[in-house]
Amino acid sequence: MRVLVTGGAGYIGSHTVVSLLASGHEVEVVDSFVNSKPTAIARIEEITGATVPLHHVDLRDRAALGRLFGERTFDAVIHFAALKAVGESVAQPLRYYENNLGSTYTLLDAMAEHGVRTIVFSSSATVYGAEAPVPYTEDFDRLDSSSPYGQTKVMVERILTDVAVADPTWRIALLRYFNPVGAHPSGLIGEDPQGIPNNLVPFIAQVAVGRREKLSIFGGDYPTKDGTCERDFIHVDDVAEGHVAALQAITAGDPLVRAWNLGSGEGTSVLEMLHAFERAVGHELPHEIVERRSGDLPAFWADPTRAAEELGWRTSRTIDDMCVDTWRWQSGNPEGFPD
Ligand code: UD1
């Protein structure tokens, strides 16, 4: 298939482009580079030996997007492009709603106008909100996230569902990721956060490489196995392969809109993750337990049954794989991608 990947230079997008190419798809990328670098595409080409046409367009630029769809032919779109920092979204809600919803409107308009009605959407476990019972199952329907970022995921899922009701020829996958970490085993692509990382594994990796003094663990008194929060960490290459499987499934069967969890089904604590990273690096890493971070849930993980049954997909990489691969990427690229 000819697949357009929005945000294909970003963390999960770049790994998904590699998986798509490995599965024999043709891929083009559209990216605004607000939070990524074109170097990521050069690295993908180095890994795969393929040429990946790159379009430097902000999806909200209706005219430029119309030209792109007019000039090229696509069978499907995988839509990653979005702002994604939870804390920033609380401080700048309008920017998040305007960007994440606005870009989706223009994308869906351009797709409909050019007869492309197959889309895989990058959603998040954050759509389940604080009330959902653990493990999270896809049929929990009171979606309500705690942050404007997460709420944009809830809203885009709703928009896509309404689009499918209005025109039942659409084929739509909503993929709810748990906590993607890790990097491609080549060490050539990986997560490259701007500024101080908000997320656990990028922060640990920067401590390990000497860019940060020590890890602050947010809370040691949760009702969990060791007092620290538990999350369902999933290797980014497993997430990437989940997209290939979802694309295959929605194009093979009848048109539909359907959500699938992409998670392992297992909770790993913050301390367990730190210790796994220490094993990868070969020595202990400085850390201290501090106050809880506001808004954190104690523990959640996926029920991954639906994706296993319907997509034939399940995770295959371990916590140690995630840490070894992250460390290979971080130690080889201490400052992230070069310009
Ligand atoms: C958050 C978002 C999720 C988003 C994900 C990746 C929510 C509810 N979840 O997940 O939507 O997809 O980020 O962007 O908004 N931790 C520390 N020290 C640190 C950093 C994190 O102890 O320096 C702890 C946190 O307290 C948490 C765990 O590590 O218990 C994981 O945190 P993080 O990586 O930020 O992911 P989530 O908050 O689970």
Side-chain angles (χ1 to χ4, degrees):
M1 260 185 279
R2 282 156 302 185
V3 185
L4 178 66
V5 178
T6 80
Y11 174 44
I12 304 174
S14 59
H15 289 80
T16 301
V17 172
V18 171
S19 288
L20 286 165
L21 291 166
S23 305
H25 296 288
E26 289 171 47
V27 184
E28 301 195 18
V29 165
V30 56
D31 207 299
S32 69
F33 300 111
V34 287
N35 194 24
S36 62
K37 292 187 180 151
T39 321
I41 303 298
R43 296 280 183 89
I44 290 170
E45 293 181 330
E46 195 178 334
I47 292 169
T48 61
T51 300
V52 180
L54 176 58
H55 309 281
H56 185 168
V57 171
D58 186 314
L59 294 184
R60 291 168 299 169
D61 182 342
R62 195 173 279 273
L65 198 61
R67 279 196 299 278
L68 171 58
F69 274 86
E71 287 164 8
R72 319 290 292 187
T73 311
F74 303 112
D75 302 306
V77 172
I78 303 186
H79 181 33
F80 293 101
L83 299 174
K84 61 170 188 181
V86 174
E88 185 182 70
S89 80
V90 174
Q92 304 173 16
L94 294 180
R95 182 167 161 244
Y96 270 68
Y97 287 117
E98 199 274 328
N99 185 87
N100 292 3
L101 301 182
S103 58
T104 305
Y105 298 144
T106 49
L107 175 65
L108 293 173
D109 268 349
M111 289 176 67
E113 199 179 318
H114 293 88
V116 186
R117 292 193 189 79
T118 301
I119 184 168
V120 178
F121 175 60
S122 170
S123 190
S124 166
T126 193
V127 300
Y128 291 111
E131 304 303 323
V134 177
Y136 292 166
T137 54
E138 293 89 344
D139 51 15
F140 182 79
D141 55 8
R142 280 175 286 127
L143 303 184
D144 180 23
S145 183
S146 53
S147 71
Y149 153 74
Q151 209 57 34
T152 67
K153 297 294 182 192
V154 173
M155 292 164 86
V156 171
E157 285 204 12
R158 179 59 196 255
I159 290 165
L160 287 166
T161 304
D162 290 344
V163 163
V165 169
D167 176 353
T169 64
W170 282 80
R171 297 163 183 274
I172 301 173
L174 312 171
L175 299 184
R176 297 175 179 161
Y177 321 145
F178 282 68
N179 287 61
V181 301
H184 189 268
S186 64
L188 288 171
I189 56 173
E191 189 165 11
D192 183 15
Q194 292 184 345
I196 301 170
N198 299 308
N199 299 119
L200 178 66
V201 171
F203 201 103
I204 297 175
Q206 291 197 6
V207 172
V209 85
R211 280 174 69 179
R212 310 276 159 208
E213 190 193 334
K214 66 178 163 196
L215 172 71
S216 296
I217 294 178
F218 301 134
D221 57 353
Y222 283 100
T224 56
K225 50 183 147 187
D226 59 20
T228 64
C229 293
E230 290 171 42
R231 292 290 181 273
D232 185 339
F233 296 99
I234 170 173
H235 196 294
V236 65
D237 281 338
D238 280 329
V239 176
E241 289 168 7
H243 290 73
V244 179
L247 186 60
Q248 161 83 21
I250 61 174
T251 46
D254 293 331
L256 84 177
V257 53
R258 190 130 173 99
W260 287 281
N261 286 338
L262 295 185
S264 70
E266 281 171 34
T268 299
S269 76
V270 171
L271 269 176
E272 287 173 332
M273 189 49 118
L274 173 67
H275 295 324
F277 211 96
E278 290 174 333
R279 284 195 293 280
V281 175
H283 57 80
E284 289 185 10
L285 296 170
H287 62 275
E288 67 174 337
I289 295 188
V290 300
E291 288 295 292
R292 292 180 177 192
R293 182 173 71 177
S294 154
D296 277 340
L297 298 174
F300 62 86
W301 52 87
D303 178 341
T305 310
R306 184 187 282 187
E309 289 179 355
E310 298 178 0
L311 305 180
W313 172 92
R314 52 174 56 78
T315 59
S316 66
R317 290 143 177 111
T318 65
I319 293 288
D320 284 305
D321 295 334
M322 299 172 205
C323 293
V324 166
D325 290 338
T326 301
W327 181 232
R328 189 181 298 108
W329 152 253
Q330 187 71 76
S331 53
N333 304 269
E335 301 296 327
F337 287 111
D339 284 322

